[in-house]
Amino acid sequence: MKKLELRIFRFDKNKDYEAYYKPYVYDNYENFKALYDLLLQVQDDDIYFDFPKDENAYILVNSKPFSLCANLEQILQEEGFELMIEPLSLKRATKDLIFDKKDFLDEFKFVASLVNDEDKKLYEKYDYLYYTSEILKFNQDCFGDSLFYFIFKMIEKYPGKKLDFLQILADKNRGIFYHLPTKNKDLEQIIKKLKDEISQAGLIDKNLINFKEFKKEEERKLTHIKHDFKGFNIGFYGYENEELKTKLKAKIMDFKNPSSGFELLNFNANLAYKIAADIVLDAYDKGCDFLVVDEAKDFYMFDTCCKDLMKESGRDFEDFYILNSQELIALIEGEESASLKNHKLKVTLI
């Protein structure tokens, strides 16, 4: 039987200068029904360890939110037998997996006059949506996804207050149009519905939600390999052609950031550039020779807007460059796409 290997975030604000990750190994994990049961065992084995005692509380497992009542067997099926366990917020940690939620709770003030104390208890259950909101990594002033989800529930409960709720969501500096995509299908459907209702109610300037359109190029299929890029480090953003990647002899690095910032250009260009620069510099700093993208909007952010990205980040990456997936396939086949001449970041590969 496989051993369950844990690395658990440890930090005591009253004793520790820095956080660390402590290893634990269990070979009797089949005795634990829920994640909560596993952490109780960890606490029995390590009396200095602490975690929330609410079984409905959330923590991060391999950077994904899971309720403490989540089935452990299911988690192991999804994540494997090496688990990194952390609080929802590392920077606000007070004692191991326990952290200060003041920033999340403060967001409730924007809807407090429209709801009651019982509703607040519901809001408090959505902390995991707040702390996994990608936008907060770049701008703490934006509403988190928790407030959007909560407002959706409140509109269902108080339909007569719908316009008041939508006006809060339509805030041009921190509202729902700053939401960055997630893999939570339920949340994404709710976000889309709320955005549509805001637009239909005339609460947002439609020029802000109309984006530059790009012509869709005909997809090019790889027919033969002349250059396999052996010895190269290639970064991929938003390009899921795993079959092609396996045919290359390069070291492949995938960058999973949910947004290149394009959706925010009309609302806050500097913030959009900040998000895009973070992705490009991540690839650059990890030693990628170049970054490949699939969608034209992402190429626009990374290459066409490169001067703005460098200005926003205070970093120079003129010696780096971006390829779209069609240009990469052409190079693999030994051809040079005419579009390479139009790049802002000049391609030095050929």
Side-chain angles (χ1 to χ4, degrees), residues 235-349:
F236 287 90
Y237 176 81
Y239 188 49
E240 305 297 335
N241 191 333
E242 300 306 318
E243 181 181 358
L244 180 144
K245 294 176 187 178
T246 60
K247 292 179 179 178
L248 299 178
K249 294 185 178 179
K251 180 181 178 182
I252 304 298
M253 290 183 241
D254 287 304
F255 296 86
K256 302 291 188 179
N257 309 58
S259 171
S260 63
F262 181 79
E263 301 88 345
L264 303 183
L265 266 178
N266 294 342
F267 287 88
N268 188 328
N270 289 339
L271 181 57
Y273 297 146
K274 185 177 181 179
I275 293 171
D278 188 70
I279 297 169
V280 173
L281 289 170
D282 190 21
Y284 184 75
D285 291 339
K286 287 180 177 175
C288 291
D289 293 298
F290 55 89
L291 183 65
V292 180
V293 301
D294 191 38
E295 295 195 41
K297 64 182 179 65
D298 299 328
F299 181 87
Y300 177 82
M301 290 301 301
F302 299 155
D303 181 85
T304 308
C305 299
C306 64
K307 294 294 185 183
D308 296 302
L309 270 57
M310 289 186 230
K311 181 179 179 181
E312 181 64 32
S313 65
R315 296 277 303 277
D316 186 344
F317 48 87
E318 287 279 5
D319 56 340
F320 195 60
Y321 55 92
I322 315 297
L323 296 177
N324 67 44
S325 55
Q326 307 307 299
E327 292 168 341
L328 174 65
I329 292 174
L331 290 173
I332 293 172
E333 294 180 342
E335 299 179 18
E336 178 182 340
S337 298
S339 59
L340 295 178
K341 297 177 182 178
N342 300 323
H343 287 214
K344 298 295 184 182
L345 294 169
K346 297 305 178 183
V347 178
T348 58
L349 178 66

Side-chain angles (χ1 to χ4, degrees), residues 121-173:
K121 294 178 182 178
L122 177 64
Y123 172 76
E124 292 172 355
K125 294 181 179 180
Y126 299 143
D127 58 350
Y128 68 98
L129 291 174
Y130 178 82
Y131 290 106
T132 54
S133 301
E134 285 290 326
I135 190 63
L136 298 184
K137 296 178 182 178
F138 303 97
N139 189 339
Q140 286 288 324
D141 291 332
C142 295
F143 296 149
D145 292 340
S146 50
L147 194 67
F148 307 148
Y149 194 88
F150 175 71
I151 284 179
F152 177 79
K153 295 295 184 182
M154 292 300 99
I155 289 175
E156 290 182 329
K157 183 176 180 179
Y158 306 111
K161 300 179 181 180
K162 181 176 181 177
L163 186 60
D164 294 318
F165 284 121
L166 291 180
Q167 287 174 331
I168 294 171
L169 293 177
D171 189 296
K172 296 181 180 60
N173 296 313

Side-chain angles (χ1 to χ4, degrees), residues 51-306:
F51 69 100
K53 296 307 184 294
D54 178 1
E55 293 188 32
N56 294 313
Y58 277 76
I59 61 172
L60 295 179
V61 179
N62 293 353
S63 301
K64 301 174 184 177
F66 284 93
S67 168
L68 290 180
C69 64
N71 183 275
L72 182 60
E73 182 180 358
Q74 183 64 38
I75 292 175
L76 297 181
Q77 289 177 2
E78 294 178 14
E79 301 298 323
F81 290 80
E82 295 182 8
L83 305 180
M84 180 173 67
I85 297 178
E86 301 168 307
L88 285 176
S89 175
L90 274 64
K91 69 178 184 178
R92 299 184 67 85
T94 55
K95 182 67 171 71
D96 303 330
L97 303 186
I98 299 172
F99 64 99
D100 179 6
K101 299 182 182 182
K102 184 178 183 302
D103 53 345
F104 160 68
L105 296 174
D106 281 350
E107 296 297 305
F108 185 76
K109 66 187 177 186
F110 294 101
V111 294
S113 64
L114 298 173
V115 298
N116 59 39
D117 291 341
E118 198 63 32
D119 297 326
K120 185 178 181 181
K121 294 178 182 178
L122 177 64
Y123 172 76
E124 292 172 355
K125 294 181 179 180
Y126 299 143
D127 58 350
Y128 68 98
L129 291 174
Y130 178 82
Y131 290 106
T132 54
S133 301
E134 285 290 326
I135 190 63
L136 298 184
K137 296 178 182 178
F138 303 97
N139 189 339
Q140 286 288 324
D141 291 332
C142 295
F143 296 149
D145 292 340
S146 50
L147 194 67
F148 307 148
Y149 194 88
F150 175 71
I151 284 179
F152 177 79
K153 295 295 184 182
M154 292 300 99
I155 289 175
E156 290 182 329
K157 183 176 180 179
Y158 306 111
K161 300 179 181 180
K162 181 176 181 177
L163 186 60
D164 294 318
F165 284 121
L166 291 180
Q167 287 174 331
I168 294 171
L169 293 177
D171 189 296
K172 296 181 180 60
N173 296 313
R174 62 176 70 191
I176 197 169
F177 291 94
Y178 284 88
H179 165 78
L180 296 181
T182 70
K183 293 182 179 180
N184 186 330
K185 292 182 180 180
D186 180 42
L187 175 63
E188 293 307 307
Q189 289 176 351
I190 286 172
I191 295 293
K192 183 180 185 309
K193 180 177 176 60
L194 290 172
K195 284 182 176 180
D196 289 344
E197 292 187 350
I198 290 170
S199 179
Q200 291 166 10
L203 298 176
I204 192 73
D205 181 350
K206 291 191 176 181
N207 290 322
L208 295 176
I209 54 179
N210 291 328
F211 301 102
K212 177 181 175 67
E213 294 185 3
F214 298 95
K215 182 180 178 181
K216 181 69 174 178
E217 293 186 26
E218 184 177 350
E219 185 177 356
R220 177 170 181 161
K221 301 292 185 181
L222 180 66
T223 59
H224 63 280
I225 297 178
K226 183 174 182 180
H227 302 296
D228 59 16
F229 287 88
K230 182 178 181 179
F232 279 80
N233 298 323
I234 304 178
F236 287 90
Y237 176 81
Y239 188 49
E240 305 297 335
N241 191 333
E242 300 306 318
E243 181 181 358
L244 180 144
K245 294 176 187 178
T246 60
K247 292 179 179 178
L248 299 178
K249 294 185 178 179
K251 180 181 178 182
I252 304 298
M253 290 183 241
D254 287 304
F255 296 86
K256 302 291 188 179
N257 309 58
S259 171
S260 63
F262 181 79
E263 301 88 345
L264 303 183
L265 266 178
N266 294 342
F267 287 88
N268 188 328
N270 289 339
L271 181 57
Y273 297 146
K274 185 177 181 179
I275 293 171
D278 188 70
I279 297 169
V280 173
L281 289 170
D282 190 21
Y284 184 75
D285 291 339
K286 287 180 177 175
C288 291
D289 293 298
F290 55 89
L291 183 65
V292 180
V293 301
D294 191 38
E295 295 195 41
K297 64 182 179 65
D298 299 328
F299 181 87
Y300 177 82
M301 290 301 301
F302 299 155
D303 181 85
T304 308
C305 299
C306 64

